[in-house]
Amino acid sequence: MNKYEILVVDDEVQIRKLLQITLESNDYKVRLATTGKEAQISAANHPPELIILDLGLPDKSGHIVLKELREWYNKSIIILSVIDNEEDIVSALDNGATDYLTKPFRTAELMARIRSAIRRNSTENDESNIKIGELEIDIISRTAKKNNEVLKLTSTEFNLLSLFARNEGRVLTHQFILKEIWGVGFQTETQYLRVFVGTLRKKIEDNPNHPKYIVTESGVGYRFGK
């Protein structure tokens, strides 16, 4: 039994109850909050392993709550909201959300995203050697292998792969990736990024046209996983 604790922040009683039943049936401990202020107090007093946060809270925007939590809380935060426009999704991810799901949600997908986010928590501080599926990335020696065979990557391709691997399961926006790899001045060069993602896929994917590692999140960015 894992008994990781999850803080659910949502003002809809039906959603809170559904999430509580679902999470507890999967062996998670659950704490509930209905407002942003209540969520921040709860998280500060008893920091959870993960927070599920709605954007439409009665006292303040979930975007503001997210920003304030990210001033000190460094574990995963999954946004679960009825808001599904691209601007809000990108804003939440750029402000530190680990993932973003829209309501109504599929329970199996939510549980998979939670497992991925918790795995990310546990590996975040041990990133010198990362294994994901058939891939192994050694951050210190700057080498990558697939099925124990060394991949011939350029310096930029390795930087991109290691960024993805360190953020397994998390949606990274185009702007975030461009800033991290090439700098602030490249944050609008999304076509530039697509070219590099395409070449990297050819080297790490069994079928680049149907990738299992670098998955496109349409209009937002990419998710790395297996």
Side-chain angles (χ1 to χ4, degrees), residues 37-217:
K37 182 178 180 180
E38 186 181 345
Q40 290 167 314
I41 292 172
S42 180
N45 289 336
H46 304 283
E49 185 67 22
L50 180 143
I51 297 174
I52 297 176
L53 175 65
D54 185 21
L55 293 181
L57 300 174
D59 58 337
K60 61 171 72 176
S61 165
H63 285 293
I64 295 174
V65 176
L66 173 64
K67 287 181 181 180
E68 292 174 346
L69 284 170
R70 278 300 182 225
E71 292 177 359
W72 62 272
Y73 182 79
N74 60 10
K75 293 192 175 183
S76 295
I77 299 176
I78 295 177
I79 301 298
L80 184 61
S81 175
V82 70
I83 300 171
D84 64 353
N85 69 73
E86 186 176 309
E87 183 179 352
D88 278 281
I89 295 173
V90 170
S91 176
L93 294 169
D94 278 343
N95 285 324
T98 307
D99 209 340
Y100 194 113
L101 277 80
T102 56
K103 302 174 184 176
F105 59 91
R106 292 175 293 184
T107 299
E109 181 180 10
L110 174 63
M111 299 311 301
R113 300 286 184 92
I114 288 172
R115 289 191 295 271
S116 177
I118 289 176
R119 281 199 306 273
R120 181 174 177 272
N121 288 346
S122 64
T123 60
E124 200 166 49
N125 296 321
D126 182 22
E127 296 180 337
S128 61
N129 193 278
I130 304 171
K131 294 182 179 180
I132 301 173
E134 301 157 343
L135 298 175
E136 183 175 351
I137 300 101
D138 190 320
I139 303 297
I140 295 175
S141 67
R142 291 182 61 80
T143 58
K145 297 179 181 179
K146 180 179 179 182
N147 292 325
N148 293 319
E149 293 188 8
V150 176
L151 297 170
K152 295 180 180 179
L153 303 177
T154 67
S155 177
T156 299
E157 288 169 350
F158 181 83
N159 291 342
L160 188 56
L161 177 60
S162 62
L163 178 66
F164 281 136
R166 291 195 305 269
N167 290 278
E168 180 194 1
R170 179 182 177 185
V171 178
L172 302 182
T173 65
H174 298 126
Q175 291 76 16
F176 175 83
I177 299 169
L178 287 161
K179 177 173 68 70
E180 291 295 308
I181 302 299
W182 289 281
V184 175
F186 286 83
Q187 284 184 279
T188 61
E189 302 293 336
T190 54
Q191 183 57 37
Y192 194 64
L193 175 58
R194 290 190 188 97
V195 170
F196 274 89
V197 168
T199 59
L200 183 57
R201 277 174 171 161
K202 290 177 181 178
K203 296 182 178 182
I204 70 171
E205 301 282 3
D206 292 333
N207 183 350
N209 294 321
H210 298 282
K212 68 177 182 179
Y213 288 110
I214 306 175
V215 179
T216 299
E217 295 287 342

